[in-house]
Amino acid sequence: MSGRLPTHIEISGLIRAAEEQGGMATVLSKGERDAGTILVVTMYRGENGVLYERMPQLDGSRSFTATKTQAPEKPYEFSEYLIRRGTQDPDCWVLEVDIANAERFVAQSLD
C-alpha cells in the first residue's frame, strides 16, 4: 500500500484550507481520482495567476514549485498553457485558488 494520500482527498483538503483562509477554490479540471497529478493556480481577485506543480527535488521529496506566471499584458497565454498541460496529462487535476495572500497559502498548504 502506498503512503500517498488519494488525489481527490488532497484536493478536498486544499479547498477547505483555502476557505479557512478566506479564499475560494474551484476545481477547473478533474483527473485520475487516486493518483492524478495536481496543478494549483493561485490568484487574487482573478488576476496575477501563478501555476504550482509538484516537482521532484534533489533530496527525493516532491514539493510544489511555481512553474508559470501570468503576464498581465498577455493573460490568454496562461490559459492556453493550462489547456496544453491538461492535454499532455489527462489524469491531472487543476485547482484554482483565489486568495488574498497566495504566498502564505502555498507555504502553509502545499508544502
Side-chain angles (χ1 to χ4, degrees), residues 58-77:
L58 292 175
D59 64 1
S61 66
R62 297 182 65 224
S63 62
F64 280 90
T65 304
T67 58
K68 183 84 173 157
T69 302
Q70 184 178 30
E73 65 279 355
K74 298 179 183 176
Y76 58 88
E77 286 183 354

Side-chain angles (χ1 to χ4, degrees), residues 41-101:
V41 177
T42 62
M43 58 184 54
Y44 181 58
R45 295 185 178 170
E47 297 179 343
N48 303 319
V50 178
L51 175 65
Y52 290 88
E53 298 184 58
R54 192 173 278 145
M55 306 293 265
Q57 304 299 311
L58 292 175
D59 64 1
S61 66
R62 297 182 65 224
S63 62
F64 280 90
T65 304
T67 58
K68 183 84 173 157
T69 302
Q70 184 178 30
E73 65 279 355
K74 298 179 183 176
Y76 58 88
E77 286 183 354
F78 191 76
S79 299
E80 289 172 354
Y81 179 81
L82 289 175
I83 291 167
R84 279 195 316 274
R85 187 65 181 81
T87 302
Q88 292 169 347
D89 183 1
D91 290 337
C92 77
W93 290 68
V94 180
L95 181 68
E96 181 179 278
V97 179
D98 198 316
I99 195 161
N101 192 341

